[in-house]
Amino acid sequence: MINQRIRTAGVAAFITATLIGSNPINAQQELTVHMNETIAPIQPTMYGIFFEDINFAADGGLYAEMIKNRSFEFTLPMMGWTQPNSDRHSFNEESGYALPVKYAEGDANQNFIRVQVKNAEGYELHNEGFRGMGIKEGEAYRFTFDAKQMQGNVSSVTVTLLNDAGKSIGEAIIPVSGSEWASYKAELIPNETVMKGSLKLTFEGTGELGLDMVSLFPKDTWKGRENGLRKDLVQLLADMDPGFLRFPGGCIVEGRTLARRYQWKKTVGPVEERPNLINRWNTEFEHRLTPDYYQSFGLGFFEYFQLSEDLGAEPLPILSCGIACQFNTGELVPMDELQPYVQDALDLIEFANGSTDTPWGKVREDMGHPEPFNMKYIGVGNEQWGPEYIERYKVFNEAIQFKYPDIIIVSGSGPFPEGDYFEYGMKELKKIGAEIIDEHYYKSPQWFKENATRYDSYDRNGPKIFAGEYAAQSVAIASPENKNNWDTALAEAAFMTGLERNAEVVQLTSYAPLMAHAEGWQWTPDMIWFNNLESYGTPNYYVQKLYATNRGTDLISITQDGMSLTGQDDLFASATLDSEANEVVLKMVNTSDKPKEIVLNFEGKKVKSQGTVQVLRDDSLTSENSFDSQEEISPVTKAISVKGSTSKQTLAPYSLNVVRIAFKK
Ligand code: AHR
C-alpha cells in the first residue's frame, strides 16, 4: 500500500514542482518520516565497488609492484628499461648490453634478458617505474629477482634507488652465483622521499647474466602481504565499507578481441607463471595513448577474492560471454565453440567455493586459502547487446543454474540506460527470468537529477537491478575534460536517493571507474585519484562513502504533503531505519543555491532528543578536491536536536545531509 502511494507520488511531485516553481526562500518545508511502516530490506550489497584495471588502477596503482615490465614480457621486451651507457644503434656497446631471450614458445613467462657486462664500471640498467617510482624515506622496500650465470663471472648485482635527479638514495649489493636459475632478494631503506624515483642495476665482474622477474615492492603493503596491494588505496576502499566488489571490469573483461579477453585461469597460481597481456585501454583513446599499459595479473582472481574478503564485500566476478567489446571488434565465438567459456564460469565457481578435493578448489588451497570464498554472484558479459548476447547468455544461464542452482547470475542490459539496445535486452532478459540485470549510465548531472524517479515505475516482481556503472559527466562521456567536481557529485547524491527509495528493486550499485593515476589515466571522471605517493577521494567518493556507511537495514518513506521528495523545489530525500543501531537515517539533498528551512516530523516511533548530521557541501559547483587540497569537499559532522517528534533543520545550499537519530524501540 505504502509503496504504491510513494511511487505514484513521484510522478505527481514532478508535476507539482513544474507547476509551483520555487518555494519562497524562507518558507519552511514540512517533511514527515514514516517510521512505522518498512517498505523493503536494504540489501547489504546496496552500495559496492566497481574495480577495473583502467587508468593504471591495477598495474601502476593498487598492485604495489614498482617495476614496470618486471619480466620483460611486453610486446617490446625492453619497454620501461633503459641502458644509458649502451646504445646499440650507434654501436656504443663497450660497457655491455642486455638482450631479450625467449625461453620457449608458449603462454607464460616467455622472456628473460641476457645481460652482457663488458665493463663493470660503465654498464647500467634502469627501470623507470610507472611514471616514476614513489619512494618514501625510512620505509623498507623488498627487491627480488631471478638470475643465472650464462658466461664469465658476474659476481654481484648492485641495486640502487635513485631520486628525481638521478642521485642514489639507497642501495644493496647482492652476490649471485651458479648456472641454474635462482631467486635473490635484498631489503632497501631509502634516505629520501621522492615522487619520481627510479631503479638502477649495476654489476660486478664481466660476463653474461640471465635476469628475470625483477621486482620492487614496499614492505608496508595492505596487511603486509608479499605481492601485495598499496595500503593507502585499499584503506580508501575499506573506509567505504562496501557491500560488494565487482571485478575485473568493465570492458577489460571483453577485450578488444576475444584473444585479449580477460581469462581468469591465467591470473591464478604463481605470479611468475601468469602470462602478461596488453591492457585493452593501452591505445583505446587517441587523446590518451598509453602504449606502456599491460596487465601483469599480479593482481589476479585470487587476490580479488582475498580483497573482497578483507573488505567484508561480496565478490562479484564478471566473465566474458564470448563476445569481444562491441565498441571495438564485436568478435563472436561461434555458438558451437562456446563451451570452454561456459566451463570457465563453472570452474570459477569451483575455484571460489569448491572443496579442496576438487581440481580448482585445490588450486585455491595451494594459493593459501583452503576455506571457500563463499561467492554468491557471477556476472555473464559486461556491456553486451543484441540477440548475440541473449543467445549466449541463455547457454551460460542454463549450465550455471543446472550445476549451481544457488548462484545468482548477473546479466547486462548494454551500455546505455535507454534506447533500442536497452529495451531489447531488458525484454529478452525478463522473458528468460533473469535475476539481476546490470544497467550503466554515464550521463550529465542534469540527467541524474531528472532520473531520481527512474526506478519508481519498475516492476516490483521483475528482475532486480544492479546499477553497476554510473557517473555524472561534467562535459560528455569519455571526454578528457570531465571533472570530478561538486556539480557531478551533488547530482549523483540526488539520484542516489532514488536508488535507495527503490531498494525493493535496486539491490546493488557502484560508481565507475574507481581509480585513476594522475599521469597514467585514460578515462575521467574517476572516484579516487592517486600518484605514486599519495591518493585522495573526490567529492564523488565522499558521496558514495556517506551512502555506504549510512545504509541502514530497512527502507522507510519520507514525504512532503504525502509525496516522495524527488526534486520538487530542488529537494531530494530517502530514509531508512538502522535496526542494528536503532537509528533512523535520512539522506536529504538540496540542489539549489539557497538554504532550505525544513521541519522533520517523526511518526511511528519516539526519537531521542539528540542526533547528528553529516554535511557534504560546497558553495561552488565547480569545486574539486586535489592533491593539494584533498579534503576540500568532505563531510563535516554536527549535532542536531529534536523537540518531541520534530526537528528543525537548515539544509545548506548545494548540500548532501545525512541525519542519524536514535529511536526508542
Ligand atoms: O568505466 C569505464 C568503461 O565504461 C567500462 O569499462 C565499460 O563497461 C563502460 O563502457
Side-chain angles (χ1 to χ4, degrees):
M1 172 60 185
I2 191 166
N3 304 352
Q4 194 53 42
R5 184 184 70 191
I6 306 299
R7 261 180 279 139
T8 44
V11 179
F14 183 72
I15 296 165
T16 314
T18 320
L19 291 178
I20 64 172
S22 300
N23 272 349
I25 298 166
N26 288 322
Q28 284 187 341
Q29 290 179 249
E30 295 254 349
L31 311 186
T32 306
V33 184
H34 306 267
M35 297 172 67
N36 46 351
E37 284 179 275
T38 58
I39 300 168
I42 303 279
Q43 298 300 325
T45 51
M46 185 69 185
Y47 302 108
I49 293 175
F50 160 95
F51 184 90
E52 175 165 19
D53 189 6
I54 182 172
N55 303 318
F56 279 16
D59 288 282
L62 190 61
Y63 185 51
E65 173 63 81
M66 294 163 71
I67 305 276
K68 185 168 70 187
N69 193 13
R70 65 182 170 192
S71 60
F72 312 98
E73 304 294 324
F74 286 16
T75 313
L76 298 173
M78 294 304 286
M79 194 177 238
W81 296 90
T82 50
Q83 306 170 73
N85 300 337
S86 179
D87 179 2
R88 293 219 88 195
H89 302 293
S90 61
F91 298 100
N92 169 20
E93 293 169 4
E94 287 91 45
S95 64
Y97 60 89
L99 280 180
V101 184
K102 263 205 183 326
Y103 285 103
E105 286 301 336
D107 248 346
N109 196 10
Q110 294 191 29
N111 301 336
F112 67 97
I113 56 167
R114 188 192 64 188
V115 184
Q116 189 175 66
V117 185
K118 294 184 184 171
N119 169 5
E121 295 298 297
Y123 183 69
E124 296 178 1
L125 185 58
H126 291 225
N127 188 276
E128 65 192 20
F130 298 89
R131 308 294 183 269
M133 293 176 188
I135 299 172
K136 292 183 184 162
E137 179 184 353
E139 292 217 354
Y141 291 82
R142 186 186 294 118
F143 175 68
T144 56
F145 61 98
D146 293 344
K148 67 170 179 180
Q149 295 281 354
M150 298 178 73
Q151 230 180 67
N153 181 26
V154 178
S155 57
S156 68
V157 175
T158 301
V159 54
T160 309
L161 297 179
L162 303 176
N163 68 9
D164 318 35
K167 196 173 138 279
S168 168
I169 55 171
E171 71 170 48
I173 300 170
I174 309 130
V176 287
S177 60
S179 56
E180 296 298 321
W181 283 110
S183 298
Y184 298 90
K185 64 179 177 195
E187 188 170 296
L188 293 151
I189 302 187
N191 56 22
E192 194 180 319
T193 295
V194 289
M195 171 84 85
K196 286 185 173 289
S198 58
L199 175 137
K200 176 175 81 170
L201 298 181
T202 49
F203 304 85
E204 188 66 31
T206 55
E208 289 180 5
L209 189 73
L211 267 190
D212 204 354
M213 282 301 284
V214 183
S215 171
L216 181 73
F217 271 89
K219 249 185 135 177
D220 191 19
T221 55
W222 172 253
K223 290 193 181 280
R225 291 192 184 113
E226 290 191 17
N227 191 51
L229 305 181
R230 220 175 105 166
K231 207 173 160 185
D232 60 327
L233 291 174
V234 183
Q235 192 59 56
L236 280 166
L237 303 183
D239 291 347
M240 291 178 69
D241 193 15
F244 65 89
L245 175 68
R246 167 182 165 178
F247 54 88
C251 291
I252 207 155
V253 170
E254 309 161 30
R256 297 177 74 171
T257 60
L258 282 172
R260 290 189 182 166
R261 72 189 186 281
Y262 197 103
Q263 298 185 60
W264 74 266
K265 287 176 179 166
K266 296 184 177 184
T267 75
V268 296
V271 280
E272 61 280 7
E273 288 171 21
R274 303 180 192 177
N276 283 226
L277 182 67
I278 194 164
N279 187 300
R280 61 98 64 236
W281 297 106
N282 185 300
T283 50
E284 178 77 15
F285 296 124
E286 284 290 324
H287 55 265
R288 293 293 302 180
L289 293 175
T290 324
D292 58 341
Y293 196 6
Y294 281 69
Q295 298 175 85
S296 70
F297 298 115
L299 170 54
F301 259 43
F302 178 85
E303 290 78 16
Y304 282 124
F305 278 111
Q306 196 174 43
L307 177 60
S308 308
E309 188 171 75
D310 292 349
L311 297 174
E314 294 292 345
L316 170 41
I318 307 280
L319 300 186
S320 162
C321 65
I323 307 180
C325 181
Q326 287 161 286
F327 289 112
N328 301 138
T329 62
E331 203 183 333
L332 295 171
V333 71
M335 289 302 289
D336 60 359
E337 293 172 27
L338 188 60
Q339 189 45 36
Y341 291 72
V342 178
Q343 195 58 46
D344 274 357
L346 299 175
D347 290 343
L348 178 63
I349 301 169
E350 184 177 293
F351 175 74
N353 296 350
S355 94
T356 51
D357 298 337
T358 61
W360 285 105
K362 173 83 171 60
V363 175
R364 186 190 70 240
E365 180 184 36
D366 291 347
M367 293 186 75
H369 202 288
E371 308 78 22
F373 283 116
N374 294 320
M375 162 180 139
K376 300 189 183 88
Y377 302 88
I378 192 166
V380 175
N382 171 45
E383 257 181 5
Q384 269 64 57
W385 64 77
E388 297 81 7
Y389 174 55
I390 299 299
E391 65 177 339
R392 283 164 182 73
Y393 176 80
K394 281 180 183 165
V395 180
F396 279 83
N397 193 37
E398 210 170 285
I400 296 170
Q401 281 193 349
F402 180 75
K403 190 157 185 198
Y404 297 107
D406 292 339
I407 291 285
I408 300 168
I409 308 170
V410 176
S411 52
S413 59
F416 311 118
E418 69 269 300
D420 291 348
Y421 295 155
F422 178 78
E423 300 298 338
Y424 172 81
M426 285 302 235
K427 185 176 79 193
E428 293 301 320
L429 289 167
K430 278 182 195 164
K431 274 196 227 157
I432 306 167
E435 282 177 277
I436 299 189
I437 306 180
D438 183 11
E439 295 187 2
H440 295 177
Y441 17 89
Y442 295 96
K443 294 285 196 174
S444 67
Q446 192 58 24
W447 184 94
F448 276 87
K449 285 183 274 189
E450 286 169 1
N451 277 269
T453 54
R454 177 179 175 86
Y455 295 108
D456 293 10
S457 56
Y458 270 50
D459 181 1
R460 269 42 196 165
N461 300 313
K464 302 303 175 202
I465 296 300
F466 171 24
E469 290 185 32
Y470 69 87
Q473 314 286 297
S474 64
V475 179
I477 185 165
S479 164
E481 303 307 323
N482 284 329
K483 303 285 181 228
N484 283 100
N485 60 27
W486 181 227
D487 191 22
T488 60
L490 188 65
E492 288 152 11
F495 175 75
M496 289 172 79
T497 59
L499 298 176
E500 194 162 274
R501 277 190 309 98
N502 288 283
E504 281 164 291
V505 173
V506 184
Q507 305 207 328
L508 305 94
T509 66
S510 43
Y511 183 97
L514 182 66
M515 289 182 185
H517 188 296
E519 290 177 55
W521 60 274
Q522 299 79 44
W523 180 295
T524 181
D526 303 287
M527 198 165 87
I528 291 167
W529 285 83
F530 61 90
N531 57 29
N532 289 336
L533 286 176
E534 289 180 276
S535 51
Y536 69 87
T538 59
N540 315 71
Y541 167 83
Y542 287 109
V543 168
Q544 293 293 323
K545 182 177 166 185
L546 276 175
Y547 270 85
T549 53
N550 293 285
R551 177 171 48 82
T553 52
D554 297 277
L555 179 66
I556 57 170
S557 66
I558 176 169
T559 60
Q560 181 180 359
D561 301 329
M563 294 186 292
S564 302
L565 291 130
T566 60
Q568 55 273 47
D569 201 26
D570 298 316
L571 184 59
F572 299 78
S574 58
T576 62
L577 294 182
D578 184 335
S579 64
E580 283 148 24
N582 290 323
E583 288 177 347
V584 59
V585 186
L586 312 178
K587 284 115 189 170
M588 293 177 288
V589 182
N590 176 10
T591 56
S592 83
D593 60 356
K594 307 276 185 309
K596 277 190 190 304
E597 305 298 334
I598 59 158
V599 180
L600 294 167
N601 295 308
F602 295 96
E603 275 187 11
K605 286 190 196 298
K606 284 197 181 337
V607 289
K608 300 234 165 117
S609 58
Q610 293 286 322
T612 58
V613 59
Q614 296 175 74
V615 184
L616 188 64
R617 59 170 295 274
D618 199 89
D619 288 337
S620 164
L621 292 174
T622 55
S623 293
E624 295 171 53
N625 290 345
S626 64
F627 287 106
D628 291 337
S629 192
Q630 301 186 0
E631 296 187 351
E632 169 83 21
I633 303 177
S634 58
V636 174
T637 304
K638 297 177 197 163
I640 55 168
S641 61
V642 183
K643 275 206 176 130
S645 61
T646 63
S647 175
K648 290 187 180 174
Q649 305 285 320
T650 303
L651 306 182
Y654 301 143
S655 65
L656 161 62
N657 306 268
V658 180
V659 166
R660 296 192 74 110
I661 305 173
F663 58 77
K664 294 171 193 147
K665 279 203 285 183

Short mmCIF file of all heavy atoms in Angstrom, two decimals, residues 605-639:
data_model
loop_
_atom_site.label_atom_id
_atom_site.label_comp_id
_atom_site.label_asym_id
_atom_site.label_seq_id
_atom_site.Cartn_x
_atom_site.Cartn_y
_atom_site.Cartn_z
N LYS A 605 7.51 6.23 15.80
CA LYS A 605 8.44 5.82 16.85
C LYS A 605 8.91 7.07 17.58
O LYS A 605 8.94 8.16 16.98
CB LYS A 605 9.68 5.11 16.25
CG LYS A 605 9.43 3.71 15.75
CD LYS A 605 10.74 3.02 15.41
CE LYS A 605 10.54 1.79 14.55
NZ LYS A 605 9.73 0.74 15.18
N LYS A 606 9.28 6.89 18.81
CA LYS A 606 9.79 8.03 19.58
C LYS A 606 11.29 8.17 19.30
O LYS A 606 12.03 7.20 19.42
CB LYS A 606 9.60 7.78 21.08
CG LYS A 606 8.17 7.98 21.55
CD LYS A 606 8.18 8.13 23.07
CE LYS A 606 6.83 8.30 23.72
NZ LYS A 606 5.74 8.81 22.94
N VAL A 607 11.69 9.38 18.92
CA VAL A 607 13.11 9.59 18.65
C VAL A 607 13.77 10.31 19.81
O VAL A 607 13.10 11.03 20.56
CB VAL A 607 13.34 10.38 17.33
CG1 VAL A 607 13.00 9.54 16.13
CG2 VAL A 607 12.56 11.68 17.33
N LYS A 608 15.05 10.14 19.96
CA LYS A 608 15.78 10.78 21.06
C LYS A 608 15.97 12.27 20.76
O LYS A 608 15.78 12.71 19.62
CB LYS A 608 17.13 10.09 21.26
CG LYS A 608 17.00 8.62 21.59
CD LYS A 608 17.73 8.26 22.88
CE LYS A 608 17.30 6.92 23.40
NZ LYS A 608 18.34 5.91 23.46
N SER A 609 16.40 13.00 21.76
CA SER A 609 16.44 14.46 21.59
C SER A 609 17.73 14.95 20.91
O SER A 609 17.86 16.12 20.59
CB SER A 609 16.28 15.14 22.95
OG SER A 609 17.32 14.67 23.78
N GLN A 610 18.68 14.05 20.74
CA GLN A 610 19.95 14.45 20.09
C GLN A 610 20.24 13.53 18.91
O GLN A 610 19.94 12.34 18.98
CB GLN A 610 21.12 14.29 21.08
CG GLN A 610 21.09 15.23 22.27
CD GLN A 610 21.47 16.64 21.87
OE1 GLN A 610 22.34 16.84 21.05
NE2 GLN A 610 20.79 17.63 22.45
N GLY A 611 20.84 14.07 17.90
CA GLY A 611 21.26 13.25 16.76
C GLY A 611 22.45 13.92 16.09
O GLY A 611 23.05 14.86 16.65
N THR A 612 22.81 13.45 14.93
CA THR A 612 23.92 14.06 14.19
C THR A 612 23.50 14.28 12.74
O THR A 612 22.62 13.59 12.22
CB THR A 612 25.17 13.16 14.17
OG1 THR A 612 24.83 11.92 13.58
CG2 THR A 612 25.75 12.96 15.55
N VAL A 613 24.16 15.22 12.12
CA VAL A 613 24.03 15.36 10.67
C VAL A 613 25.44 15.47 10.08
O VAL A 613 26.28 16.22 10.58
CB VAL A 613 23.15 16.57 10.26
CG1 VAL A 613 23.70 17.89 10.78
CG2 VAL A 613 22.98 16.64 8.74
N GLN A 614 25.69 14.67 9.06
CA GLN A 614 26.95 14.78 8.33
C GLN A 614 26.66 15.58 7.06
O GLN A 614 25.79 15.19 6.28
CB GLN A 614 27.48 13.40 7.95
CG GLN A 614 27.83 12.56 9.16
CD GLN A 614 28.23 11.16 8.74
OE1 GLN A 614 29.30 10.93 8.22
NE2 GLN A 614 27.34 10.21 8.97
N VAL A 615 27.35 16.67 6.92
CA VAL A 615 27.05 17.58 5.79
C VAL A 615 28.22 17.57 4.81
O VAL A 615 29.38 17.77 5.19
CB VAL A 615 26.81 19.02 6.29
CG1 VAL A 615 26.42 19.93 5.13
CG2 VAL A 615 25.75 19.04 7.38
N LEU A 616 27.88 17.34 3.56
CA LEU A 616 28.86 17.42 2.48
C LEU A 616 28.40 18.55 1.59
O LEU A 616 27.28 18.50 1.04
CB LEU A 616 28.88 16.09 1.71
CG LEU A 616 29.98 15.89 0.67
CD1 LEU A 616 31.36 15.89 1.32
CD2 LEU A 616 29.77 14.58 -0.08
N ARG A 617 29.20 19.59 1.46
CA ARG A 617 28.70 20.74 0.71
C ARG A 617 29.84 21.59 0.18
O ARG A 617 30.99 21.46 0.62
CB ARG A 617 27.83 21.62 1.60
CG ARG A 617 28.55 22.17 2.85
CD ARG A 617 27.73 23.20 3.55
NE ARG A 617 27.56 24.37 2.69
CZ ARG A 617 28.42 25.39 2.61
NH1 ARG A 617 29.52 25.41 3.35
NH2 ARG A 617 28.19 26.40 1.81
N ASP A 618 29.49 22.43 -0.77
CA ASP A 618 30.42 23.47 -1.20
C ASP A 618 29.58 24.57 -1.84
O ASP A 618 28.53 24.29 -2.42
CB ASP A 618 31.45 22.94 -2.19
CG ASP A 618 32.66 23.86 -2.26
OD1 ASP A 618 33.59 23.65 -1.47
OD2 ASP A 618 32.64 24.80 -3.08
N ASP A 619 30.05 25.81 -1.73
CA ASP A 619 29.30 26.92 -2.33
C ASP A 619 29.38 26.91 -3.84
O ASP A 619 28.54 27.47 -4.52
CB ASP A 619 29.86 28.26 -1.83
CG ASP A 619 29.50 28.48 -0.37
OD1 ASP A 619 28.49 27.87 0.07
OD2 ASP A 619 30.22 29.22 0.32
N SER A 620 30.46 26.29 -4.35
CA SER A 620 30.66 26.35 -5.80
C SER A 620 30.53 24.97 -6.42
O SER A 620 31.17 24.01 -5.97
CB SER A 620 32.05 26.92 -6.09
OG SER A 620 32.38 26.64 -7.43
N LEU A 621 29.75 24.89 -7.47
CA LEU A 621 29.56 23.59 -8.14
C LEU A 621 30.81 23.17 -8.92
O LEU A 621 30.93 22.01 -9.31
CB LEU A 621 28.35 23.66 -9.08
CG LEU A 621 27.00 23.79 -8.39
CD1 LEU A 621 25.89 23.99 -9.41
CD2 LEU A 621 26.71 22.59 -7.51
N THR A 622 31.71 24.10 -9.16
CA THR A 622 32.91 23.73 -9.92
C THR A 622 34.08 23.31 -9.01
O THR A 622 35.14 22.92 -9.49
CB THR A 622 33.38 24.89 -10.83
OG1 THR A 622 33.56 26.04 -10.01
CG2 THR A 622 32.37 25.18 -11.93
N SER A 623 33.86 23.36 -7.71
CA SER A 623 34.96 22.98 -6.79
C SER A 623 35.30 21.51 -6.92
O SER A 623 34.43 20.68 -7.19
CB SER A 623 34.55 23.24 -5.34
OG SER A 623 34.42 24.60 -5.12
N GLU A 624 36.57 21.22 -6.66
CA GLU A 624 37.05 19.83 -6.73
C GLU A 624 38.01 19.59 -5.56
O GLU A 624 38.57 20.54 -5.04
CB GLU A 624 37.86 19.60 -8.01
CG GLU A 624 37.08 19.70 -9.30
CD GLU A 624 38.04 19.67 -10.49
OE1 GLU A 624 38.84 18.73 -10.58
OE2 GLU A 624 37.96 20.59 -11.32
N ASN A 625 38.25 18.36 -5.23
CA ASN A 625 39.38 18.02 -4.35
C ASN A 625 40.62 17.86 -5.23
O ASN A 625 40.51 17.68 -6.45
CB ASN A 625 39.09 16.75 -3.56
CG ASN A 625 38.01 16.98 -2.51
OD1 ASN A 625 37.69 18.13 -2.19
ND2 ASN A 625 37.46 15.91 -1.97
N SER A 626 41.78 17.91 -4.61
CA SER A 626 43.02 17.80 -5.39
C SER A 626 44.12 17.27 -4.47
O SER A 626 43.92 17.17 -3.26
CB SER A 626 43.43 19.18 -5.93
OG SER A 626 43.73 20.02 -4.83
N PHE A 627 45.28 16.98 -5.03
CA PHE A 627 46.39 16.52 -4.18
C PHE A 627 46.74 17.59 -3.13
O PHE A 627 47.08 17.27 -2.01
CB PHE A 627 47.62 16.19 -5.03
CG PHE A 627 47.45 14.91 -5.80
CD1 PHE A 627 47.23 14.92 -7.17
CD2 PHE A 627 47.49 13.68 -5.14
CE1 PHE A 627 47.05 13.75 -7.87
CE2 PHE A 627 47.31 12.50 -5.84
CZ PHE A 627 47.09 12.53 -7.20
N ASP A 628 46.63 18.87 -3.53
CA ASP A 628 46.98 19.93 -2.59
C ASP A 628 45.87 20.20 -1.58
O ASP A 628 46.12 20.76 -0.52
CB ASP A 628 47.26 21.24 -3.36
CG ASP A 628 48.53 21.10 -4.17
OD1 ASP A 628 49.37 20.24 -3.80
OD2 ASP A 628 48.68 21.81 -5.18
N SER A 629 44.65 19.86 -1.95
CA SER A 629 43.52 20.13 -1.06
C SER A 629 42.61 18.90 -1.08
O SER A 629 41.55 18.91 -1.68
CB SER A 629 42.80 21.38 -1.57
OG SER A 629 41.90 21.82 -0.63
N GLN A 630 43.08 17.86 -0.40
CA GLN A 630 42.47 16.54 -0.57
C GLN A 630 41.09 16.43 0.05
O GLN A 630 40.29 15.61 -0.35
CB GLN A 630 43.40 15.47 0.01
CG GLN A 630 44.76 15.50 -0.66
CD GLN A 630 45.67 14.37 -0.23
OE1 GLN A 630 45.32 13.55 0.58
NE2 GLN A 630 46.87 14.34 -0.79
N GLU A 631 40.83 17.24 1.08
CA GLU A 631 39.53 17.13 1.75
C GLU A 631 38.77 18.44 1.70
O GLU A 631 37.99 18.76 2.58
CB GLU A 631 39.75 16.66 3.19
CG GLU A 631 40.34 15.28 3.22
CD GLU A 631 40.43 14.68 4.60
OE1 GLU A 631 40.18 15.41 5.59
OE2 GLU A 631 40.77 13.49 4.69
N GLU A 632 39.03 19.19 0.64
CA GLU A 632 38.32 20.46 0.43
C GLU A 632 36.81 20.22 0.56
O GLU A 632 36.11 20.92 1.26
CB GLU A 632 38.68 20.96 -0.98
CG GLU A 632 37.87 22.11 -1.51
CD GLU A 632 38.40 23.43 -1.01
OE1 GLU A 632 39.58 23.46 -0.62
OE2 GLU A 632 37.62 24.41 -1.01
N ILE A 633 36.34 19.20 -0.16
CA ILE A 633 34.93 18.82 -0.03
C ILE A 633 34.90 17.46 0.66
O ILE A 633 35.23 16.44 0.07
CB ILE A 633 34.25 18.74 -1.41
CG1 ILE A 633 34.41 20.08 -2.14
CG2 ILE A 633 32.79 18.35 -1.28
CD1 ILE A 633 33.85 20.11 -3.54
N SER A 634 34.58 17.47 1.94
CA SER A 634 34.50 16.23 2.71
C SER A 634 33.50 16.46 3.84
O SER A 634 33.23 17.60 4.22
CB SER A 634 35.88 15.83 3.24
OG SER A 634 36.39 16.86 4.04
N PRO A 635 32.94 15.37 4.38
CA PRO A 635 31.84 15.55 5.34
C PRO A 635 32.27 16.20 6.64
O PRO A 635 33.36 15.95 7.15
CB PRO A 635 31.38 14.10 5.60
CG PRO A 635 32.00 13.28 4.55
CD PRO A 635 33.23 13.97 4.10
N VAL A 636 31.38 17.02 7.18
CA VAL A 636 31.56 17.63 8.50
C VAL A 636 30.37 17.18 9.35
O VAL A 636 29.22 17.26 8.90
CB VAL A 636 31.58 19.17 8.38
CG1 VAL A 636 31.61 19.81 9.75
CG2 VAL A 636 32.78 19.62 7.56
N THR A 637 30.65 16.69 10.56
CA THR A 637 29.57 16.18 11.41
C THR A 637 29.18 17.22 12.46
O THR A 637 30.05 17.83 13.09
CB THR A 637 30.02 14.88 12.11
OG1 THR A 637 30.43 13.97 11.10
CG2 THR A 637 28.89 14.26 12.91
N LYS A 638 27.86 17.41 12.61
CA LYS A 638 27.37 18.37 13.63
C LYS A 638 26.28 17.70 14.45
O LYS A 638 25.63 16.76 13.97
CB LYS A 638 26.73 19.58 12.93
CG LYS A 638 27.65 20.39 12.08
CD LYS A 638 26.84 21.49 11.42
CE LYS A 638 27.60 22.07 10.25
NZ LYS A 638 26.76 22.83 9.36
N ALA A 639 26.08 18.24 15.64
CA ALA A 639 24.99 17.73 16.49
C ALA A 639 23.68 18.40 16.07
O ALA A 639 23.69 19.56 15.64
CB ALA A 639 25.29 18.03 17.95
#
